[in-house]
Amino acid sequence: LNCLRQLQRPEYAAPQTLQVLLHQLKTYVVETETVEWHDTLVQSPLLRLMLYRSMVAFGFSLPMNEAMKVANLVVLRDYEWQPIVFVILRVGGTFSSLYMFDVTGRKLVSLVALLITAVLSIAIGGEYVDELSVVSEYHMSVICVLSQLFQFFAGLYAPSSSVYLSEAFPMSLKP
């Protein structure tokens, strides 16, 4: 109960609340110990999590990097300092999310960041619909700004996906 008290926010939780929380955790452990690995695949939290986790990889993918590179070459005529800005924004988003997890919880932060990242990636793809937009400084400057926003919000949801990954497997498969 002392461990639960230290993890609980606010720290002055009532003993009855801690007892209810302890009972919920015990029930979770009992239920997940009896679930087989093939049942986990059928219920598919792992498959949903793989889709969620694939957005983390999309932030570093070749199409996204090429879109950023072409946009920066057209608008700024160089590509030397932009990767540094992208890394700063990605790391800044990661550190911001660590604070936000404590304040609002990881679910809200990660879902909002994932939604914004998905919208930004669709918007970046929409800028490439017309072939002439590749040579347009206006369209490429829009892609520069959208890709920078994408990196920040990708940094927001990336830390939460590893926590959810640990919850996707049944207790019998965990070491």
Side-chain angles (χ1 to χ4, degrees):
L1 289 177
N2 287 335
C3 290
L4 288 176
R5 183 174 287 116
Q6 290 176 356
L7 293 173
Q8 193 68 21
R9 298 242 190 246
E11 295 173 358
Y12 50 85
Q16 297 84 8
T17 305
L18 293 176
Q19 288 291 340
V20 169
L21 187 59
L22 181 63
H23 178 68
Q24 289 174 349
L25 290 173
K26 285 181 180 180
T27 305
Y28 169 76
V29 168
V30 168
E31 288 175 356
T32 55
E33 282 179 344
T34 60
V35 175
E36 296 293 328
W37 66 273
H38 54 80
D39 292 335
T40 301
L41 291 177
V42 171
Q43 295 170 356
S44 74
L46 183 61
L47 297 177
R48 287 183 294 216
L49 188 63
M50 287 171 50
L51 180 63
Y52 179 78
R53 187 77 176 162
S54 68
M55 265 316 263
V56 174
F58 184 68
F60 298 110
S61 68
L62 181 64
M64 185 60 73
N65 287 333
E66 286 297 317
M68 292 184 282
K69 183 178 180 180
V70 168
N72 287 315
L73 286 174
V74 169
V75 174
L76 304 170
R77 310 283 190 263
D78 70 1
Y79 187 65
E80 294 178 9
W81 61 273
Q82 280 301 97
I84 298 168
V85 172
F86 292 145
V87 168
I88 291 170
L89 288 170
R90 176 71 72 120
V91 172
T94 301
F95 284 123
S96 300
S97 70
L98 297 177
Y99 171 74
M100 289 182 202
F101 288 166
D102 289 339
V103 175
T104 62
R106 66 178 183 226
K107 189 179 221 179
L108 179 66
V109 173
S110 60
L111 288 178
V112 169
L114 181 64
L115 178 67
I116 291 172
T117 306
V119 169
L120 289 172
S121 64
I122 291 171
I124 290 170
E127 288 294 322
Y128 281 105
V129 168
D130 187 19
E131 294 174 5
L132 296 176
S133 65
V134 176
V135 294
S136 168
E137 283 193 34
Y138 172 74
H139 289 288
M140 294 298 111
S141 63
V142 168
I143 290 176
C144 286
V145 171
L146 290 177
S147 61
Q148 290 173 0
L149 287 171
F150 178 89
Q151 292 301 322
F152 177 77
F153 285 106
L156 277 179
Y157 74 83
S160 68
S161 63
S162 60
V163 174
Y164 287 133
L165 190 61
S166 68
E167 296 174 358
F169 295 99
M171 295 290 280
S172 61
L173 293 179
K174 293 180 184 176

